[in-house]
Amino acid sequence: MVTILMPVYNEGDYIYNNVIIVDQLLEKEGIEHQFLLVDDGSRDKSWAELCRLANDRQNVSIIRLSRNFGKEAALCAGLESASGDAVIVMDSDLQHPPERIPEMVRLWREEGYDVVEGIKADRGRESFGSKLAALLFYRTFQRTTGIDIGIASDFKLLDRSVVEAWKKLPEKNTFFRGLSAWVGYKRYAMPFEVAPRAGGNTKWTLRSLMRLAVNSITAYTAAPLFIVFWLGVIMGIGAVIMTIQTLYNFFSNQADPGFSTVILLQLFIGSAIMISLSIIGLYISKIYDEVKARPRYLIKSKRGKAFIDKD
Ligand code: UDP
Ligand code: MG
């Protein structure tokens, strides 16, 4: 049994059809499956549509979060209750081509891969700006964490054992793509073409993407703290040189023109301190989040039988 896990946020207009399309395709291929749809606090008719699906289809289970917690949290909620022998995570807007699922299942069943991850062969229709930003982010992520998520996507198949391993990780600030690479296991990278959206617009805003980028880097590495350290060392060497120069000027009675140097120094040191403090602050806020140990999401209601017994 394979669980198809989809996060749903304001996809009311087409979610019903999209699920039916995937359902019919898998039925035709003879893949035993069930759906687990997580409504991430949608404000449109998504929940009503999910209920309609659960009524019409035996194999559809649905979860509703109490508000919009974000895609990562929705995936967490789904993974924690998914009961299949494998879980396939995919977007509900069909940008992840369902025709590739049979191949994923085959790689898992017959070739024994624990993780089959979709790799974007081409990033689909995206502006130059967002392509550049994605490239910059992945580079930084790889350099600082040593985990190569490259052109990774959230389209993947996870074996039961991987899901169980992931559930044992206690942290709150996760980055799904990074984490599934971090757990290791036998992985297979399957290229796919990103399809255009089935309708509507992307749910990401610049702000939510920035937050995801900062979160995912700080969740995996303390490298920015080391950058600050080296910045401090360089500033220190500069300060020593400036001190010698200033002392020389002072003793040779030409102190006045040095005024501009002082201003420059003030600015440089000021900015270095600001950056350092903000980075340290980021990590402290991470610790604060973890220490609070608040749940990543709250479930408002649940229907269906795709759930694993928790206790
Ligand atoms: N999504 C979600 N919560 C959010 C934003 C998005 O569950 O706060 C879901 C959305 O319904 C879709 C998937 O995450 O199934 C990917 O979202 P979207 O298509 O907007 O992102 P993009 O494809 O542009 O990266
Ligand atoms: Mg999409």
Side-chain angles (χ1 to χ4, degrees):
M1 175 71 81
V2 177
T3 302
I4 310 285
L5 169 60
M6 291 182 182
V8 180
Y9 181 55
N10 294 346
E11 312 270 12
D13 289 338
Y14 23 81
I15 183 65
Y16 191 92
N17 277 333
N18 289 358
V19 171
I20 299 292
I21 289 173
V22 179
D23 191 41
Q24 280 169 351
L25 191 136
L26 295 182
E27 195 121 325
K28 207 179 82 208
E29 296 283 338
I31 296 169
E32 206 193 339
H33 64 283
Q34 57 188 188
F35 287 92
L36 182 52
L37 310 172
V38 183
D39 176 9
D40 185 18
S42 297
R43 271 173 298 231
D44 66 349
K45 58 175 182 178
S46 292
W47 180 247
E49 291 290 293
L50 294 193
C51 289
R52 192 152 77 87
L53 274 164
N55 282 337
D56 295 353
R57 303 259 152 177
Q58 284 287 312
N59 62 349
V60 173
S61 301
I62 52 181
I63 296 180
R64 185 186 202 179
L65 303 188
S66 64
R67 65 168 166 86
N68 179 233
F69 281 92
K71 182 180 179 185
E72 296 274 312
L75 287 178
C76 261
L79 279 178
E80 270 171 21
S81 23
S83 63
D85 303 314
V87 179
I88 294 178
V89 178
M90 65 186 292
D91 284 0
S92 50
D93 56 7
L94 293 197
Q95 282 195 290
H96 296 154
E99 315 84 65
R100 305 304 295 277
I101 295 177
E103 191 185 341
M104 291 174 121
V105 173
R106 192 189 60 80
L107 284 161
W108 164 65
R109 259 204 200 123
E110 285 162 30
E111 309 208 2
Y113 286 101
D114 300 307
V115 179
V116 182
E117 33 199 355
I119 299 287
K120 292 175 187 158
D122 128 47
R123 295 190 58 87
R125 264 184 296 139
E126 269 180 300
S127 67
F128 176 73
S130 64
K131 272 189 181 137
L132 186 74
L135 187 72
L136 269 178
F137 166 65
Y138 288 137
R139 278 283 158 74
T140 319
F141 192 80
Q142 192 184 347
R143 276 285 184 80
T144 53
T145 64
I147 298 174
D148 180 9
I149 49 168
I151 31 196
S153 69
D154 290 331
F155 185 30
K156 29 179 127 243
L157 178 149
L158 304 174
D159 181 68
R160 173 91 269 156
S161 58
V162 180
V163 176
E164 290 304 319
W166 140 284
K167 285 203 291 197
K168 288 212 185 76
L169 300 172
E171 68 227 63
K172 299 280 172 307
N173 282 303
T174 53
F175 175 49
F176 184 65
R177 272 170 239 181
L179 209 57
S180 52
W182 181 88
V183 294
Y185 289 90
K186 198 177 169 205
R187 294 161 58 198
Y188 183 88
M190 183 195 75
F192 73 94
E193 306 270 329
V194 179
R197 250 182 162 276
N201 288 318
T202 179
K203 306 293 179 295
W204 292 105
T205 58
L206 183 63
R207 228 178 102 205
S208 64
L209 276 176
M210 288 286 283
R211 194 181 312 133
L212 182 69
V214 170
N215 255 346
S216 47
I217 288 177
T218 52
Y220 283 92
T221 176
L225 291 175
F226 288 100
I227 298 173
V228 170
F229 172 75
W230 285 111
L231 212 70
V233 171
I234 294 167
M235 293 294 303
I237 295 171
V240 169
I241 296 170
M242 292 306 283
T243 312
I244 294 170
Q245 194 221 21
T246 312
L247 283 179
Y248 175 80
N249 283 349
F250 181 77
F251 285 117
S252 53
N253 291 325
Q254 3 172 269
D256 254 343
F259 188 68
S260 50
T261 340
V262 175
I263 297 290
L264 276 178
L265 266 181
Q266 285 257 18
L267 286 174
F268 276 119
I269 295 177
S271 70
I273 291 176
M274 297 290 252
I275 297 170
S276 322
L277 280 181
S278 71
I279 293 182
I280 294 168
L282 271 174
Y283 280 96
I284 293 179
S285 75
K286 284 275 114 71
I287 298 172
Y288 181 54
D289 279 349
E290 299 293 335
V291 167
K292 276 190 297 191
R294 284 204 188 139
R296 287 206 59 185
Y297 54 85
L298 295 172
I299 290 177
K300 191 163 164 186
S301 50
K302 250 179 167 182
R303 278 177 61 182
K305 38 187 184 189
F307 306 117
I308 203 160
D309 289 327
K310 255 200 166 167
D311 16 48

